[in-house]
Amino acid sequence: MVKIGEGIHLHILPTKKFKTISIQFRFKTRLQEKKVTKRALLANLMDINSKLYPTQIDFRRRLSELYGANFFTDVARYGNYHVLSLNIECVDEKVINETGIVDEVMKFLYQVIFFPNVIDGHFQEATFNREVDKLRDEFASRYDDKAVYAEDKLNNLYFHTREQQMTSYGQESDLNDITPTNLFDTYLEMLNEDQLDIYVVGNITESTILRTLHPFDFKPRELINENPFYEDDKNKPFVKKIETQEINQTLLTMGLKTPIYYHNQYYYAGLIFNGLLGAMPHSKLFQIVREKENLAYSISSEVDVYRGLLFIYAGIESEEVDNVQSIILDQLEEIKNGLFSENEIEQTKEVIKNELFQIDDTPYSMVERAFSLELIGREHLSLNEWIEKLDSVSREEIIDLAGLIDLKATYILIGENN
């Protein structure tokens, strides 16, 4: 890691595995309700044009001229942080015996970052209005996708703060208060105050990137020392909500509080626990609820390792709600009571190892791992160290962890057409 300025860090991830150079600028700030939707809209605007390339056609034509470089933006929540990313991938000039490609790509990024499509202190209105409508459509699509809708509803039940309840790109009601002018203020705040991590993946030297970064006049910014992990009240009461709609399938969602956080003392046992419960084809929920009892069209579990949430999802018939919920809780009790074999543990560990080995298969996943470790204050953890920690997890640790997991919220979307 190279400190370019206060709160600005460069990370080179050297590899000859890919025929591309991947560059990511990750702008990180504290998660705040009033900022999330604005930042999502800002990311969408920066994805389609800039001052120099004011139309989407101009913008994409320039990327095409850069040997088909791929550029995209996104936003994500990491516990108590919100991250806006600018990402570009271009061909490695060594592969095609050309020079200057990375220099031109960095000039393109410079234009996107420092010269957005702004006129007299506000974003160009026609583009702004179009992107507001598109984002409004995205929120509407979450209602239409009932699996996503049910997950959103569970989040609303489980979490007590609005910034944790909403999606990583905010909430539709905020769109009414966003203007081209106050969105420009959000842009300036991001540019000048967000902590910035720059990641580069590929067969390239640190000196090359530092040279191309020279024109990027980022101001120093204060370091953010926020705990990335969101931890809520462990004594909060259980809540349940049932809703009915004219759909063909009933959706059961359950939110369970866990002490599983990224690379904490329960993390590795948590990976195995989740694999045993519902994250893999040999998991209890899949084998019992779906295969043996034939009670679910789909069923799975996953852990949000920045918020300690175990999420269980099942698509079922409406008359089976109580039965399926009872079986799910029974499977959790079985793990708490140690009713799983050594073979199941080893099988789960092997699946997780295979997933770990795939981390280095794409530049994006390499950056994601490096950034996540940086977020929690660890700059490096090799795959071998990761696997050693996984292999060291005992049956007793899995049982002890399972005993700390509590059901806190259930949302059920009843399908009237079942």
Side-chain angles (χ1 to χ4, degrees), residues 242-258:
I242 300 175
E243 184 179 352
T244 301
Q245 291 186 12
E246 291 185 5
I247 55 176
N248 295 324
Q249 188 181 131
T250 289
L251 303 177
L252 167 65
T253 61
M254 304 166 69
L256 298 90
K257 182 172 175 57
T258 84

Side-chain angles (χ1 to χ4, degrees), residues 37-56:
T37 312
K38 286 181 180 178
R39 288 168 64 87
L41 182 59
L42 174 62
N44 290 353
L45 280 165
M46 296 180 78
D47 186 51
I48 60 170
N49 62 23
S50 67
K51 191 83 167 181
L52 186 60
Y53 308 107
T55 71
Q56 197 161 1

Side-chain angles (χ1 to χ4, degrees), residues 249-374:
Q249 188 181 131
T250 289
L251 303 177
L252 167 65
T253 61
M254 304 166 69
L256 298 90
K257 182 172 175 57
T258 84
I260 305 167
Y261 290 90
Y262 193 58
H263 287 287
N264 76 343
Q265 66 184 98
Y266 297 105
Y267 176 68
Y268 297 95
L271 293 178
I272 299 169
F273 163 83
N274 189 39
L276 290 171
L277 181 66
M280 299 175 183
H282 67 270
S283 300
K284 288 179 175 291
L285 297 186
F286 188 87
Q287 289 298 321
I288 301 299
V289 180
R290 189 179 187 276
E291 297 297 302
K292 182 181 177 182
E293 301 294 339
N294 197 27
L295 292 174
Y297 302 109
S298 59
I299 190 165
S300 63
S301 69
E302 61 179 287
V303 181
D304 184 331
V305 295
Y306 288 96
R307 301 194 290 173
L309 167 65
L310 171 65
F311 174 75
I312 298 176
Y313 166 91
I316 58 179
E317 298 287 339
S318 58
E319 64 270 17
E320 297 294 348
V321 169
D322 291 340
N323 188 22
V324 171
Q325 192 165 5
S326 178
I327 294 174
I328 290 173
L329 294 176
D330 285 346
Q331 301 314 302
L332 178 58
E333 283 301 314
E334 286 200 2
I335 298 178
K336 289 181 179 180
N337 293 324
L339 299 179
F340 51 91
S341 67
E342 290 298 326
N343 182 60
E344 288 176 291
I345 297 175
E346 291 307 312
Q347 188 178 3
T348 303
K349 287 182 178 180
E350 287 305 311
V351 173
I352 297 170
K353 288 177 190 178
N354 288 334
E355 293 172 350
L356 288 175
F357 285 125
Q358 292 172 18
I359 285 177
D360 287 345
D361 284 350
T362 68
Y364 191 86
S365 59
M366 289 179 65
V367 172
E368 187 64 24
R369 179 180 61 155
F371 178 76
S372 297
L373 289 170
E374 173 80 9

